[in-house]
Amino acid sequence: MSPRPPPLPSRIWKTPVKKPPVPAPRRPTPLRRADIPPATAPPRRAPGTKTVLNAVLDHGPVARSTVARLTGLSPASVTGHSAHLLARGLIRESPETTGPRGLGRPHVPVDIDTGRHLVAGAHIAVTNSTLSLMDLRGRIVAEDRRPHPDIRPWPGTVLDSLAERLPRLVSAHAGGRSVLALGVATGHRVDPGAGVIVRHPQLGWRNVAVRDHLSDATGLPVHVDSHARALARAEQLIGEASTRGSAVLLFVGAVVDAAFATGGEVHLGPRHGAGSIAHLPVGGDASLESEVSEQAMVRLAAEQGAPVPSFPALLERAVAGEPRARELFRRRARLVGRAVALLMDMFDPEVVVVVEPGTGLFPHCLDDLRSEVAARSLVCDDPEQAVVASSFTGSVLSTAGAAVALGALYGDPLGPWPALTDAS
């Protein structure tokens, strides 16, 4: 046997490892504001407590066992969530009991507690501002409406006036109940996340930090949103039950805009502009807002030889039965019906809610509006069911602001509500 050859040098067996080139230092990409998470972002909460509170709002007074059946939550979960809500003073146990006597433990129903807390609301319109107080069942307790001092008032003047008026309204009408939060609503583009009125052309306001200004002035949590989204949320909470599936809400006042809701959520849009429909065409070169806004109604009354000093004065004439005033509102309803038909075909919602005083007060106006929808919509085959007037005719402005705060409370009852901390 021939001898084994000597081993080869080890360097032959080792493949030299090439070191990766060292990259040249790069300048860090500057962070954008959108990339920076909020410093105090609250954790996402389980929806159970919210579900229980909303079930009590819908069905109270109601037994906990019934809430469990309605929501699909276990009886133990409902009992635990109810304990949190009782401790916070959001629900109360009713003195009555339910169930047959003598057969086991009686059921003690729970209901929304309207005796301990309120929410406040502020609606900023083109010519005036409205303060309101609302109980936790969505009932208006008091309101105070004041005209703006100027045609285009300075934002700070309006906000300071609201902050000064609120304590007097609370003192006169709260009856010892604490105010949990202040909701603020207005037209056009509003960023609820930042609490900012992005743009309101009629007022001439841009990027007004409403939440920061009013929270500093009042010491309350402040929530801000557009009045159309606020009223859509109010319909879901305390108004038209059919809006909880999918709905369009059309607001017709000094401002004309809309809100779109589906699956219980109201669409905002990445630029906070969802619902900007003022320029929808209604025939020829005419846009919706140019023909049906309050300013347009006053102008048309003057053109027809029946001048009025303001839109409320025109509405008073229509309520009194004055024919020319009534006809102006019927014309308005027909034009709004054209817009409703377009919105119906675009979104195919379960229901369209029209926030406009004529449709809420005068049956002929609602009939005219529905007739236009029937004639023009390709998808709506039952306008009687699909097109309804606002649930809040007569209290739209006082409801809108307070509904912003009420919606926030029912959306997150375990959230940072300072007035509830001591009670829990």
Side-chain angles (χ1 to χ4, degrees), residues 300-376:
L300 288 168
E303 290 175 356
Q304 295 185 11
V308 290
S310 64
F311 179 80
L314 179 63
L315 183 58
E316 286 180 8
R317 290 190 184 182
V319 170
E322 201 278 318
R324 285 185 293 185
R326 282 283 180 96
E327 180 52 39
L328 282 174
F329 278 93
R330 294 190 69 172
R331 174 187 179 274
R332 187 192 215 193
R334 291 190 291 270
L335 291 174
V336 170
R338 298 182 187 183
V340 170
L342 284 172
L343 295 171
M344 185 71 73
D345 290 354
M346 289 171 64
F347 295 97
D348 191 18
E350 187 171 350
V351 63
V352 175
V353 180
V354 180
V355 183
E356 190 275 325
T359 56
L361 295 172
F362 313 129
H364 289 309
C365 287
L366 187 55
D367 292 342
D368 290 344
L369 192 154
R370 286 170 170 165
S371 295
E372 286 289 327
V373 174
R376 295 172 179 272

